[in-house]
Amino acid sequence: MAALTDLALRLRLQRNRLLEQDAFGTEEPIIEPEALPLPQFDHEFDYEQRRAGELIEALDHALRSENWPPPAAASGGDGAGGNYVYGLIPRRAPMRQIVRGFLQPVRYVPLVESVPENVALFLRIMLPGGDDGLEREEHGGVKWHFHYIDVHHRRSDVILSFDTRWKIVEPAKGLDRLRPLFVERHAHGKSKFTAQPGRWETAKRTSMYEICSRDLHKGVEHFRCAKNGSDAVWPRHATLTPHASSQLNAGRTAGSGKGKKNGR
């Protein structure tokens, strides 16, 4: 059991080291010297993923060799296994300059893209806080969004994301032809100041849109969708497209209400 715990702790230490490097890195911020495309490859992180994958593989092999889990643990599971990733780490592209500040493209990439069921179960029930780092694969990571940074290179508490569910409705003219961009609060402990999106003027909003939309030609599937409750950046009148499941549920609710009314 000590060997199993050691493998799991090494995995946790690797994840924590990468998160600390992102949070407390002292290097000067990298600002793009010219308009650069979003990076497709991350050779430095590829190395970290291989190391983490080897630890997961070794842990999986050791668990199978020891016929873990015991029957009691297996029967008491809560479906933790299946479609889990481990260790979402922020990967940042060079900062892009906007009016009085910067936007930094960011995506969260898992250290391990597929965690075996027995490994997920072991992490969850055998280590204190062991499920910290495990995420369902529908986490919405590995997709680009943008962190707002002020002119002093301080990270804010807001991020910008597109409405990836938006579809153009013809005929459309002017701003109605633009995929809407939204801003939302980011529940993150690394922000250095509180942004005030409501005070952003048109010049700042349009510069943000210009920077964020630069790579839309890659395909909207590469971008994270704005969350419910987000506020429009540009166009300012935009509203977030509801998720298909939300529309379906709303239709069912309305239908059941109508039925009750007719039944009275």
Side-chain angles (χ1 to χ4, degrees):
M1 182 59 69
L4 295 174
T5 303
D6 178 67
L7 288 169
L9 291 178
R10 287 167 59 189
L11 184 68
R12 178 187 291 179
L13 286 173
Q14 182 186 6
R15 168 180 172 267
N16 290 346
R17 171 176 56 81
L18 292 171
L19 290 175
E20 288 174 1
Q21 286 178 356
D22 178 73
F24 305 110
T26 58
E27 295 183 3
E28 285 295 316
I30 299 176
I31 303 172
E32 62 175 14
E34 56 184 336
L36 301 175
L38 292 175
Q40 296 185 15
F41 303 102
D42 190 337
H43 298 293
E44 177 184 347
F45 195 67
D46 284 348
Y47 169 74
E48 298 288 354
Q49 286 180 310
R50 288 196 298 272
R51 287 187 58 198
E54 290 169 357
L55 289 172
I56 289 287
E57 185 176 348
L59 186 54
D60 183 28
H61 178 74
L63 290 170
R64 295 180 186 279
S65 297
E66 296 192 13
N67 292 318
W68 195 96
S75 61
D78 59 355
N83 302 324
Y84 267 84
V85 300
Y86 182 82
L88 291 178
I89 308 297
R91 305 305 295 168
R92 304 176 186 273
M95 290 163 35
R96 301 175 171 186
Q97 194 157 16
I98 57 171
V99 170
R100 291 188 298 280
F102 301 89
L103 293 180
Q104 186 170 44
V106 180
R107 60 177 178 171
Y108 287 80
V109 184
L111 269 174
V112 182
E113 296 182 353
S114 180
V115 179
E117 181 176 354
N118 61 332
V119 174
L121 184 61
F122 177 82
L123 293 176
R124 288 179 65 91
I125 71 174
M126 298 303 292
L127 293 180
D131 59 348
D132 183 29
L134 282 173
E135 301 275 353
R136 292 288 187 184
E137 66 175 358
E138 59 267 21
H139 51 76
V142 203
K143 293 188 177 182
W144 292 104
H145 55 281
F146 301 85
H147 286 207
Y148 171 56
I149 298 170
D150 72 3
V151 70
H152 302 295
H153 304 152
R154 298 181 303 168
R155 295 182 189 176
S156 78
D157 62 343
V158 299
I159 62 175
L160 283 72
S161 305
F162 283 104
D163 180 353
T164 62
R165 297 188 291 267
W166 174 87
K167 297 184 184 300
I168 191 169
V169 178
E170 299 290 358
K173 298 180 180 179
L175 297 181
D176 290 334
R177 301 190 64 86
L178 300 180
R179 179 174 297 279
L181 180 69
F182 290 82
V183 61
E184 65 193 69
R185 295 292 170 186
H186 185 36
H188 209 288
K190 303 183 182 69
S191 62
K192 301 299 182 183
F193 77 101
T194 299
Q196 301 293 333
R199 297 182 181 179
W200 293 344
E201 72 284 3
T202 297
K204 191 176 189 76
R205 291 170 181 269
T206 54
S207 71
M208 288 177 162
Y209 191 90
E210 179 182 357
I211 287 298
C212 293
S213 62
R214 183 199 297 172
D215 298 281
L216 278 177
H217 66 276
K218 293 170 61 72
V220 71
E221 67 273 11
H222 295 288
F223 294 87
R224 172 190 179 279
C225 189
K227 290 186 177 181
N228 292 338
S230 301
D231 296 320
V233 175
W234 196 257
R236 296 191 70 162
H237 67 271
T239 56
L240 184 64
T241 304
H243 194 280
S245 60
S246 299
Q247 294 176 312
L248 180 61
N249 291 335
R252 288 173 176 170
T253 301
S256 69
K258 182 177 181 181
K260 290 180 180 179
K261 183 177 180 180
N262 291 341
R264 289 180 178 177

